[in-house]
Amino acid sequence: MDGNGRWAKARGKPRTFGHSAGVEALRRTVEAAGDIKLPYLTVFGFSTENWGRPKEEVAALLELLRLYVGRDLHRLVRDGVKVRVIGEREGLEPDIRAIIERAEDQTAANATLNLTIAFNYGAQDEIVRAVRRIADDIAAGRLTPDDVCADTFAQRLDTACLPPLDLLIRTSGERRLSNFMLWQAAYAELVFLEDLWPDFGREPLERAINEFRRRDRRYGGVGRDE
Ligand code: FPP
């Protein structure tokens, strides 16, 4: 959800104003995803590197997570949205952990749209944690080194419960992955949009999906017309 700071700056407002507008964009996007029957939507809400931002901004981002879940959870429950949060939970403030668990528990039985929020998430951190889990399994005799394959590894990532990543949308004109789903992006289609996140919603989402539909996915093989 990139571009909140620039969106605010263009309006002569503090960065946190952009993050608040970013929550509105998240609401619109979740609603649009439900309407167009998208089964899975994952958003990058807070990275393991974002702790390095000024402490007021970090506090504002944590507060926005509290507000989003506090205000929207009943609607997410009602609309059949199943919420999952990926990222490192260790070290998060107890109330933030409790909010995450409440959102996951209250929406656990839902199945219309799977909304995953990456929070305190970094792909390198996720990969290191997966490697540790494999090392623990080997040390405990539950796995042998020969058992380790791409699938064993993927099953230990935070995204084990999600299908392969099809489309990765980066907003705000940046053309990099910024430590998001590095393993999962192996065969994902990348779509880079100039739109800043607070302007995101149904139209840019549909534009990205239409671009995705035009792509020829070869997975290292030959094209569909070959
Ligand atoms: C990146 O824009 C955005 C973030 C670091 C925060 C995204 C968070 C929200 C939209 C709030 C809602 C969050 C949750 C988890 C519900 P940037 O600040 O890097 O923008 P810039 O590149 O223009 O400076």
Side-chain angles (χ1 to χ4, degrees):
M1 298 191 280
D2 197 16
N4 298 345
R6 277 164 284 168
W7 188 90
K9 193 173 175 197
R11 287 160 180 78
K13 302 276 192 187
R15 299 175 55 77
T16 49
F17 182 75
H19 296 316
S20 298
V23 175
E24 297 299 323
L26 176 59
R27 276 192 193 110
R28 287 196 300 273
T29 307
V30 170
E31 206 180 300
D35 290 349
I36 63 178
K37 308 217 176 331
L38 206 64
Y40 290 87
L41 173 72
T42 302
V43 292
F44 201 177
F46 191 90
S47 79
T48 45
E49 288 73 34
N50 285 155
W51 296 107
R53 294 193 176 203
K55 69 177 191 316
E56 301 72 29
E57 185 173 345
V58 170
L61 286 168
L62 295 178
E63 190 53 27
L64 284 175
L65 177 70
R66 289 187 188 97
L67 277 176
Y68 177 66
V69 174
R71 287 194 189 147
D72 287 43
L73 187 54
H74 71 282
R75 203 174 329 158
L76 297 170
V77 171
R78 185 198 65 196
D79 295 345
V81 178
K82 184 184 178 92
V83 178
R84 289 190 188 87
V85 177
I86 58 169
E88 175 60 287
R89 303 246 174 128
E90 208 65 45
L92 288 179
E93 292 173 23
D95 83 300
I96 293 286
R97 286 176 75 146
I99 283 167
I100 290 173
E101 282 158 20
R102 182 156 58 95
E104 288 181 333
D105 289 349
Q106 291 190 17
T107 61
N110 283 351
T112 311
L113 166 68
N114 290 275
L115 171 66
T116 304
I117 301 173
F119 193 85
N120 196 24
Y121 174 88
Q124 291 180 341
D125 176 71
E126 177 193 31
I127 288 170
V128 169
R129 286 186 285 107
V131 170
R132 270 200 213 117
R133 284 180 194 140
I134 290 177
D136 285 345
D137 285 342
I138 291 176
R142 292 185 292 265
L143 272 185
T144 70
D146 285 342
D147 293 330
V148 181
C149 60
D151 211 38
T152 335
F153 187 75
Q155 285 307 316
R156 282 159 183 79
L157 291 168
D158 296 354
T159 51
C161 51
L162 302 178
L165 178 59
D166 286 320
L167 166 62
L168 191 153
I169 305 169
R170 172 90 194 224
T171 55
S172 87
E174 307 292 1
R175 281 165 173 74
R176 54 178 175 262
L177 295 184
S178 299
N179 206 10
F180 188 65
M181 294 211 178
L182 300 182
W183 170 276
Q184 298 86 340
Y187 285 103
E189 293 298 326
L190 311 183
V191 170
F192 298 101
L193 300 181
E194 296 301 317
D195 310 59
L196 303 174
W197 176 257
D199 295 324
F200 204 79
R202 183 179 309 256
E203 188 278 321
L205 178 64
E206 287 181 342
R207 198 177 343 122
I209 292 172
N210 288 337
E211 163 75 33
F212 170 79
R213 289 197 176 113
R214 287 193 292 272
R215 301 278 176 92
D216 179 16
R217 304 187 78 190
R218 292 193 292 278
Y219 300 95
V222 291
R224 49 188 170 211
D225 301 329
E226 305 300 319

